[in-house]
């Protein structure tokens, strides 16, 4: 670990925290339909959209109506993406003449992008046409993030309102989130990325002659020479901006944010990391403002920062040490070498920014990568995996992080209530059996999907093990990571697992689908139930949710629930791998 | 054929999600 590395990490979190309040205040204004500086441009577009679609923006929805509207929207856009993928050979903007996407992969990808997962079981530059990338995938980067924003705001309204049966209008929240928040920031961010060298064009791929030919083995087994290289390109910057801002993570290229056309400079890397945390951090402030308890928003943000720091410290420490089995290798950082474990990392980012990016992308449900998590040391790789298994509530996905965190808040106040022997209250609302039942449903679906599918994959060699590159605890880590990433709607891959098989395409698609919608529904049920409740005045027995003690309790609840659920499988995976590595075994 | 299976499966999955919504709503009325 170096001072330079720590200074960059400190700068990163300082910028995120500085931007949180203005971003949060702006989002409060947008979702409370107050005046903003963009109204003169966007208001006419908003009204035109409502007129065209027959939406009454003043009509409020009960939680069931809100949930069904969200499902109808997701179903329609999912099927659109599936059809675009399957028919891309007959559609325009396909200069490489790529064929239609194979059905299981098309289904997997359509579900993946609809659920904000962006799991990619394919090589984008050789599978998806420009039209598919833009109409099928980039649009989902906006829509799925806007859905997440809308859902989080609906939950916050549920907390803020009293004795009301409704939690807002899904179509209005979706429209305003897209027009006022995601679109303007993405346009500015795309231009910033272009300034750093991120590609933006619609040209066919270039073929260039290599300066030096490369030796290879041909299909007939005879040696041959490679003299040309294809340079893939396309509308990258426009997709890259929303990919990070919307915590989507699906790369235009297979190498994702380690590709020089997606993330060319340390500055573009810094901007990408900040953009991942920008909206989730701002939403904590929005929470505080909408429930009229600003300190509560900061207390929730505090718990996120504590968990983020723990992950970053562990990952940076683990990656700063080289593999101990590489004897007689000078692994110390100097002006001439990075030191530590540089396998799978880009030299232009180094160890600090690779460890930080891996932590940030899995704290949030982004899933973009600028280094290969599979190449991390066992304890380094444990950090992204643990972040996902904790439910991605550390900042979390756009909207999804906040509502996931609020479920833990409900659990924290419930546990605090049990400790003092009185009915738990959260901001004046009594937390009753239905709320706890729904919170438990939310919390149980997650491990059920991950551990269930991982167990089947491990126990059925023909299904789960046939496309696995590594055996032993590392192989288990790869399978566990895949299902955690899918269920948590993260989308990053641990690599080492060839997931483009029928089993993985269908099972991961199922995990993504249920991991998204089956967790959203109980969350909305809590929101609807809370909105309907009376406000009870605070008394001396009320557990305050605005203090550092609340932050400590919330952090402890997240860690205890995560540890109790996943420690056994983690001990058989990365932890065992670390111990075996110390005794000389590699996988 | 696989396309048809995919579209039908998706319709069923979303239909199941809608049933789940109203299942949760009904649960609210019961006492545990």
């Amino acid at each position: 670990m170096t001072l330079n590395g720590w200074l960059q990490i400190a700068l990163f979190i300082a910028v995120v925290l500085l931007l949180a309040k203005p971003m949060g205040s702006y989002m409060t204004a947008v979702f409370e339909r107050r005046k903003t500086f963009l109204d003169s441009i966007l208001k006419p577009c908003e009204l035109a959209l409502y007129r065209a679609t027959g939406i009454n923006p003043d009509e409020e929805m009960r939680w069931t109506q809100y949930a069904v509207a969200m499902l109808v929207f997701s179903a329609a856009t999912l099927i659109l993406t599936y059809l675009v993928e399957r028919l891309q050979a007959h559609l325009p903007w396909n200069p490489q003449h790529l064929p239609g996407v194979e059905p299981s992969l098309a289904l997997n990808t359509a579900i993946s992008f609809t659920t904000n997962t962006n799991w990619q079981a394919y090589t984008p530059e050789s599978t998806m046409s420009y039209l598919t990338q833009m109409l099928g995938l980039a649009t989902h980067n906006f829509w799925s993030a806007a859905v997440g924003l809308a859902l989080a705001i609906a939950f916050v309204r549920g907390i803020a309102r009293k004795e009301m049966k409704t939690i807002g209008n899904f179509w209005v929240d979706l429209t305003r989130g897209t027009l006022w928040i995601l679109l303007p920031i993405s346009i500015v961010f795309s231009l910033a990325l272009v300034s750093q060298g991120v590609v933006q064009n619609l040209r066919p791929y270039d073929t260039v002659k290599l300066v030096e030919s490369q030796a290879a083995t041909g299909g007939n087994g005879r040696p041959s020479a490679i003299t040309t290289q294809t340079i893939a390109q396309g509308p990258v910057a426009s997709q890259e901006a929303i990919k990070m801002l919307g915590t989507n993570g699906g790369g235009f290229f297979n190498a994702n944010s380690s590709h020089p056309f997606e993330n060319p400079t340390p500055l573009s890397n810094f901007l990408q990391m900040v953009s991942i945390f920008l909206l989730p951090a701002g939403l904590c402030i929005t929470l505080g403002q909408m429930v009229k308890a600003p300190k509560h928003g900061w207390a929730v943000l505090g718990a996120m920062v504590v968990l983020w720091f723990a992950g970053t410290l562990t990952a940076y420490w683990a990656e700063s040490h080289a593999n101990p089995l590489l004897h007689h290798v000078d692994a110390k950082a100097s002006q001439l070498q990075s030191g530590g474990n540089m396998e799978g990392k880009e030299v232009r980012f180094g160890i600090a920014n690779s460890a930080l990016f891996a932590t940030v992308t899995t704290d949030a449900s982004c899933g973009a990568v600028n280094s290969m998590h599979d190449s991390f040391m066992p304890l380094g790789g444990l950090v992204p995996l643990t972040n996902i298994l904790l439910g991605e509530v550390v900042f979390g996905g756009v909207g999804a992080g906040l509502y996931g965190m609020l479920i833990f808040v409900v659990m924290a106040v419930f546990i605090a209530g049990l400790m003092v022997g009185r009915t738990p209250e959260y901001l004046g609302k009594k937390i009753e059996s239905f709320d706890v039942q729904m919170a438990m449903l939310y919390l149980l679906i997650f491990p059920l999907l991950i551990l269930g599918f991982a167990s089947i994959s491990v126990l059925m060699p023909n299904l789960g093990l046939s496309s696995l590159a590594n055996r032993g605890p590392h192989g288990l880590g790869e399978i566990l990571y895949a299902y955690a990433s899918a269920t948590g709607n993260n989308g990053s891959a641990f690599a080492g697992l060839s997931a483009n098989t029928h089993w993985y395409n269908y099972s991961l698609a199922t995990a993504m689908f249920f991991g998204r919608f089956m967790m959203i529904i109980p969350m909305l049920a809590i929101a609807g139930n809370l909105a309907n409740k009376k406000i009870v005045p605070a008394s001396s027995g009320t557990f305050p949710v605005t203090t550092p003690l609340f932050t400590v309790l919330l952090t402890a609840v997240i860690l205890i629930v995560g540890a109790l659920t996943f420690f056994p499988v983690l001990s058989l995976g990365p932890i065992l791998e670390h111990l075996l590595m110390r005794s000389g075994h590699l996988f | 054929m696989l396309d048809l299976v995919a579209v039908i499966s998706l319709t069923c999955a979303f239909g199941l999600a809608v049933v789940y919504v109203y299942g949760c709503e009904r649960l609210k009325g019961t006492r545990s």
Side-chain angles (χ1 to χ4, degrees):
Chain A
M1 292 193 280
T2 63
L3 178 64
N4 182 316
W6 278 115
L7 284 175
Q8 291 186 63
I9 292 168
L11 179 66
F12 162 76
I13 197 65
V15 170
V16 168
L17 293 176
L18 278 174
L19 291 174
K21 188 161 184 193
M23 194 66 236
S25 301
Y26 176 69
M27 287 194 282
T28 307
V30 169
F31 288 111
E32 288 188 342
R33 298 174 74 180
R34 288 195 261 119
K35 197 169 168 48
T36 72
F37 69 100
L38 290 173
D39 283 7
S40 56
I41 307 166
L42 298 176
K43 199 83 186 162
C45 305
E46 183 193 20
L47 294 176
L49 277 171
Y50 296 150
R51 264 197 299 273
T53 50
I55 302 289
N56 175 6
D58 298 319
E59 190 183 314
E60 286 271 323
M61 293 176 165
R62 298 164 78 102
W63 84 265
T64 46
Q65 294 168 307
Y66 203 97
V68 171
M70 180 272 299
L71 289 169
V72 167
F73 177 76
S74 300
T77 54
L78 197 162
I79 290 172
L80 170 75
T81 299
Y82 180 80
L83 293 175
V84 170
E85 287 179 75
R86 293 288 292 137
L87 298 172
Q88 69 175 10
H90 311 288
L91 295 171
W93 280 333
N94 185 6
Q96 302 310 122
H97 305 292
L98 296 167
V101 181
E102 185 270 324
S104 72
L105 181 59
L107 182 70
N108 179 289
T109 307
I111 292 178
S112 167
F113 278 74
T114 306
T115 56
N116 198 262
T117 311
N118 294 31
W119 171 267
Q120 293 171 292
Y122 58 92
T123 304
E125 55 266 45
S126 59
T127 312
M128 302 296 177
S129 72
Y130 290 164
L131 185 80
T132 307
Q133 293 263 26
M134 292 188 294
L135 178 64
L137 308 184
T139 47
H140 267 302
N141 288 352
F142 284 94
W143 291 331
S144 62
V147 167
L149 269 175
L151 294 166
I153 294 300
F155 199 132
V156 174
R157 281 197 199 105
I159 301 165
R161 291 182 171 181
K162 55 179 178 181
E163 297 176 74
M164 283 182 73
K165 292 191 184 307
T166 58
I167 54 170
N169 183 314
F170 173 75
W171 305 110
V172 173
D173 292 339
L174 182 78
T175 307
R176 290 185 73 84
T178 309
L179 287 181
W180 265 264
I181 297 166
L182 300 174
L183 208 52
I185 302 175
S186 294
I187 291 169
V188 175
F189 187 26
S190 302
L191 293 173
L193 290 174
V194 168
S195 79
Q196 292 300 298
V198 177
V199 172
Q200 179 73 18
N201 64 36
L202 290 170
R203 290 172 49 190
Y205 298 168
D206 285 326
T207 303
V208 296
K209 213 169 173 179
L210 292 177
V211 176
E212 202 172 293
S213 65
Q214 304 286 311
T217 306
N220 54 9
R222 291 184 183 169
S224 64
I226 298 171
T227 56
T228 60
Q229 182 183 355
T230 302
I231 307 289
Q233 54 206 301
V236 183
S238 54
Q239 185 161 324
E240 191 68 13
I242 187 62
K243 166 193 141 188
M244 313 308 287
L245 183 71
T247 60
N248 296 281
F252 193 93
F253 301 109
N254 196 35
N256 211 291
S257 281
S258 59
H259 194 292
F261 284 176
E262 278 201 39
N263 191 7
T265 66
L267 179 58
S268 68
N269 189 61
F270 184 82
L271 293 174
Q272 292 195 4
M273 289 190 295
V274 170
S275 66
I276 296 175
F277 272 7
L278 180 64
L279 298 183
L283 275 172
C284 293
I285 306 304
T286 306
L287 163 73
Q289 291 176 347
M290 287 180 75
V291 300
K292 308 280 185 271
K295 282 184 183 171
H296 176 54
W298 286 107
V300 171
L301 186 58
M304 293 178 175
V305 172
V306 167
L307 290 166
W308 161 83
F309 181 73
T312 303
L313 175 67
T314 310
Y316 190 22
W317 169 81
E319 295 310 298
S320 298
H321 297 84
N323 189 322
L325 300 182
L326 294 173
H327 299 294
H328 311 300
V329 172
D330 178 9
K332 286 183 183 159
S334 71
Q335 283 186 320
L336 296 174
Q337 62 180 26
S338 304
N341 174 31
M342 275 301 289
E343 184 193 302
K345 295 184 180 66
E346 291 291 299
V347 174
R348 67 186 182 283
F349 304 138
I351 288 175
N353 280 305
S354 300
L356 178 61
F357 198 110
T359 309
V360 167
T361 197
T362 48
D363 277 338
S365 73
C366 184
V369 293
N370 78 347
S371 58
M372 296 301 115
H373 298 177
D374 194 41
S375 292
F376 277 30
M377 302 297 284
L379 294 184
L382 177 68
V383 171
L385 182 55
T386 304
N387 284 339
I388 301 174
L389 293 175
L390 289 180
E392 293 171 329
V393 293
V394 186
F395 291 87
V398 172
L402 182 67
Y403 65 67
M405 186 56 119
L406 290 175
I407 297 290
F408 277 109
V409 169
V410 168
M411 292 312 296
V413 294
F414 173 64
I415 289 167
L418 285 183
M419 286 194 284
V420 295
R422 53 175 285 157
T423 307
E425 290 164 24
Y426 174 41
L427 293 168
K429 302 281 180 77
K430 283 194 184 296
I431 300 298
E432 292 161 315
S433 65
F434 178 75
D435 307 302
V436 177
Q437 281 170 351
M438 289 296 111
M440 289 312 299
L441 194 55
Y442 181 100
L443 292 175
L444 288 172
I445 287 166
F446 187 64
L448 186 71
L449 286 167
I450 296 171
L451 297 176
F453 276 122
S455 307
I456 296 168
S457 298
V458 169
L459 294 172
M460 310 279 273
N462 293 335
L463 292 180
L465 302 183
S466 57
S467 59
L468 193 65
N470 303 84
R471 298 291 156 144
H474 194 74
L476 177 64
E478 288 169 351
I479 293 174
L480 184 67
Y481 195 103
Y483 287 107
S485 180
T487 310
N489 298 152
N490 183 277
S492 65
F494 211 48
L497 173 68
S498 299
N500 190 11
T501 65
H502 283 311
W503 164 248
Y504 279 113
N505 276 337
Y506 287 125
S507 64
L508 288 167
T510 308
M512 287 185 273
F513 184 91
F514 287 99
R516 172 82 164 178
F517 298 113
M518 297 297 139
M519 291 171 74
I520 284 173
I521 291 165
M523 178 278 293
L524 280 177
I526 298 174
N529 200 38
L530 287 178
N532 208 5
K533 292 185 183 193
K534 291 177 187 165
I535 300 273
V536 182
S539 66
S540 58
T542 303
F543 181 67
V545 290
T546 54
T547 60
L549 179 64
F550 167 74
T551 301
V552 170
L553 181 70
L554 180 59
T555 309
V557 167
I558 294 166
L559 289 174
I560 290 167
V561 169
L564 287 176
T565 313
F566 293 109
F567 183 76
V569 73
L570 289 174
S571 65
L572 292 173
I575 296 171
L576 178 62
E577 186 187 354
H578 172 76
L579 297 173
L580 288 173
M581 180 188 74
R582 306 293 302 185
S583 61
H585 295 280
L586 290 176
F587 298 93
Chain B
M1 182 62 189
L2 277 174
D3 293 324
L4 193 63
V5 171
V7 171
I8 292 171
S9 306
L10 284 172
T11 310
C12 291
F14 277 106
L16 185 68
V18 173
V19 171
Y20 182 45
V21 169
Y22 288 99
C24 287
E25 177 68 356
R26 277 181 70 91
L27 193 65
K28 197 162 61 176
T30 62
R31 295 187 69 85
S32 52

